[in-house]
Amino acid sequence: MKKLLLTSVAGVALIAAGSANAADLRAPVYKAPPPVAAPAPVFSWSGCFVGAHVGWGWGKKDVRSFDIDSEGNLSTAASGKIDTSGAIFGGQVGCDYQFGLGKGFGGGPGAWVIGVQGSIAGTDINGFGADPVDPTDQSLRVKIDSLSSVTGRLGYAGLFPQMLIYVRGGGAWVHERWDLQDASFAFAFETPEVTRTRSGWTVGAGVEWAFAPNWSAFIEWDHYDFGNKNVILASRFDHQFGLDAKERFETVKIGVNYRFNWLFGKAAPVTARY
């Protein structure tokens, strides 16, 4: 009986000690995995913009003076040239859309950009030259005072996401003023000044660099061609006196654009994974 009692007491003591030790044990501590870093935003040229530019233009006009007699015969005709140059200052507005992302040339599908732009500028492109009919004593003067265009462009941003290399082309318009008071046929006109708006075409190329989330800068070369058109035709003494001019010139522009936040420089939402 005494042995049974001692055995029972020892068993109870062992159970109590085991319970106390188990209470002192702590649950294992597990460290949370580090958060997955979000990828850098994917830069995109998609969006609309407004900006300003300055530059320089230079070119030439091939001119032809002529006199048609009462019988309709060309009695006098002579050709000459007028060199022109001057400053350009204006603004532009447009929109771009980018297809695909990646570096291209083995680094992805490439990043192609298409867009449309309207541009208008005041200019001081002017020049003067000898009157072809009487080059020793008479002269012609001309000034281009405005230039505008509507163009489409195709660009590539696959070399570096923030750099866009592009070409553009479209329609162009120019407004010019001719001073004919020293022309050999000035007597045939009621006024020595003639103003004309001419239409033509333009092509160009450039590089644009996005230096801030909403700002980009560019440098661009453009060629303009306005064809051969009549400047003036007047009748006097049963004769018709006229002047034709073929016009083309080049421009180099630098400028900045402010780009709105419509898809510009934004990435798709990133969900952190653990």
Side-chain angles (χ1 to χ4, degrees):
M1 185 67 181
K2 188 181 291 185
K3 289 181 178 181
L4 180 59
L5 182 60
L6 290 174
T7 302
S8 300
V9 171
V12 171
L14 289 173
I15 292 172
S19 298
N21 290 334
D24 290 338
L25 293 177
R26 296 181 179 179
V29 177
Y30 299 97
K31 292 184 178 180
V36 178
V42 180
F43 187 86
S44 173
W45 287 92
S46 293
C48 295
F49 59 88
V50 62
H53 64 265
V54 296
W56 189 263
W58 69 96
K60 66 177 182 178
K61 294 177 182 286
D62 295 325
V63 296
R64 184 181 73 105
S65 296
F66 58 88
D67 175 4
I68 302 174
D69 63 24
S70 59
E71 305 256 334
N73 299 316
L74 186 65
S75 60
T76 305
S79 299
K81 183 179 71 172
I82 300 176
D83 293 321
T84 58
S85 63
I88 299 171
F89 42 92
Q92 64 278 344
V93 61
C95 291
D96 292 316
Y97 185 80
Q98 180 169 335
F99 294 91
L101 300 170
K103 287 186 174 295
F105 298 115
W112 293 96
V113 177
I114 62 171
V116 63
Q117 175 179 298
S119 175
I120 187 168
T123 75
D124 190 32
I125 300 175
N126 62 82
F128 68 92
D131 185 332
V133 174
D134 187 359
T136 57
D137 296 326
Q138 310 300 325
S139 63
L140 307 173
R141 296 177 179 271
V142 62
K143 177 182 179 181
I144 299 171
D145 53 21
S146 69
L147 174 66
S148 59
S149 64
V150 175
T151 56
R153 79 169 173 175
L154 174 65
Y156 184 70
L159 298 178
F160 191 77
Q162 282 83 12
M163 182 176 70
L164 182 66
I165 303 171
Y166 63 87
V167 294
R168 70 166 66 255
W173 297 264
V174 67
H175 186 266
E176 59 190 16
R177 299 179 181 274
W178 288 83
D179 183 355
L180 305 175
Q181 65 179 350
D182 293 326
S184 60
F185 47 84
F187 66 91
F189 309 136
E190 295 182 0
T191 174
E193 183 177 87
V194 178
T195 61
R196 287 288 183 267
T197 298
R198 300 165 67 110
S199 61
W201 54 270
T202 178
V203 294
V207 178
E208 189 166 0
W209 176 264
F211 60 88
N214 294 89
W215 290 93
S216 62
F218 66 88
I219 181 170
E220 180 178 306
W221 161 85
D222 294 296
H223 170 78
Y224 294 87
D225 194 316
F226 295 94
N228 186 43
K229 295 181 175 65
N230 179 254
V231 175
I232 192 168
L233 184 64
S235 298
R236 191 78 179 267
F237 307 128
D238 295 327
H239 280 236
Q240 285 187 318
F241 301 90
L243 177 69
D244 293 340
K246 182 178 181 180
E247 181 176 353
R248 56 204 180 279
F249 59 88
E250 324 292 320
T251 64
V252 172
K253 309 170 188 174
I254 58 173
V256 295
N257 287 320
Y258 178 81
R259 295 183 164 271
F260 301 100
N261 281 330
W262 176 58
L263 297 179
F264 186 82
K266 292 187 177 181
V270 177
T271 303
R273 298 180 180 179
Y274 299 96

